[in-house]
Amino acid sequence: MMEFYKNLSAGDWAALLPFGVACAAVGFGAKIFIDKKLGGTPVNLSLRKNESKIADSFDIEDIGNKAVFCRCWRSAKFPYCDGSHNAHNAATGDNVGPLIVKKKD
Ligand code: FES
């Protein structure tokens, strides 16, 4: 197989160049398409962007009777819900809501 490439002239390589460029363009376009389809858009648009990963921890004893945690990443009081999910859902057609943790009644 390698012998085939060794025997190509400069003109042959020049003739193959458009095909190579077309293949690279198709591959690059496919990568962009797949990235968009598989989550190329970040969920977190503005919160604590200086952190490499946002993870919060709470002691259950400190939560009190009830805590409402944001799952839409739009709350100004993140990690707590401030109701911003309502505007997000209305604007995007999404259906996200908070996680509510409470003591049994
Ligand atoms: Fe994000 Fe309510 S504000 S779930």
Side-chain angles (χ1 to χ4, degrees):
M1 185 69 174
M2 289 302 290
E3 294 300 317
F4 170 76
Y5 296 111
K6 289 181 182 175
N7 294 329
L8 292 177
S9 68
D12 293 335
W13 283 108
L16 288 172
L17 184 63
F19 177 71
V21 170
C23 288
V26 168
F28 187 68
K31 181 189 179 317
I32 291 172
F33 177 78
I34 290 169
D35 284 351
K36 284 186 177 181
K37 287 290 183 192
L38 297 179
T41 304
V43 172
N44 178 12
L45 301 178
S46 61
L47 299 170
R48 295 159 49 184
K49 285 296 202 177
N50 59 330
E51 300 176 35
S52 61
K53 176 173 62 178
I54 297 176
D56 297 300
S57 176
F58 300 91
D59 290 330
I60 196 77
E61 295 83 8
D62 296 336
I63 287 177
N65 291 330
K66 179 180 171 184
V68 183
F69 295 99
C70 176
R71 294 192 299 178
C72 75
W73 293 85
R74 302 298 184 273
S75 175
K77 295 164 47 177
F78 192 88
Y80 297 102
C81 173
D82 70 353
S84 295
H85 59 270
N86 293 309
H88 166 76
N89 288 343
T92 64
D94 211 343
N95 63 348
V96 294
L99 168 67
I100 301 170
V101 178
K102 62 182 183 177
K103 286 186 177 174
K104 282 186 177 178
D105 295 327

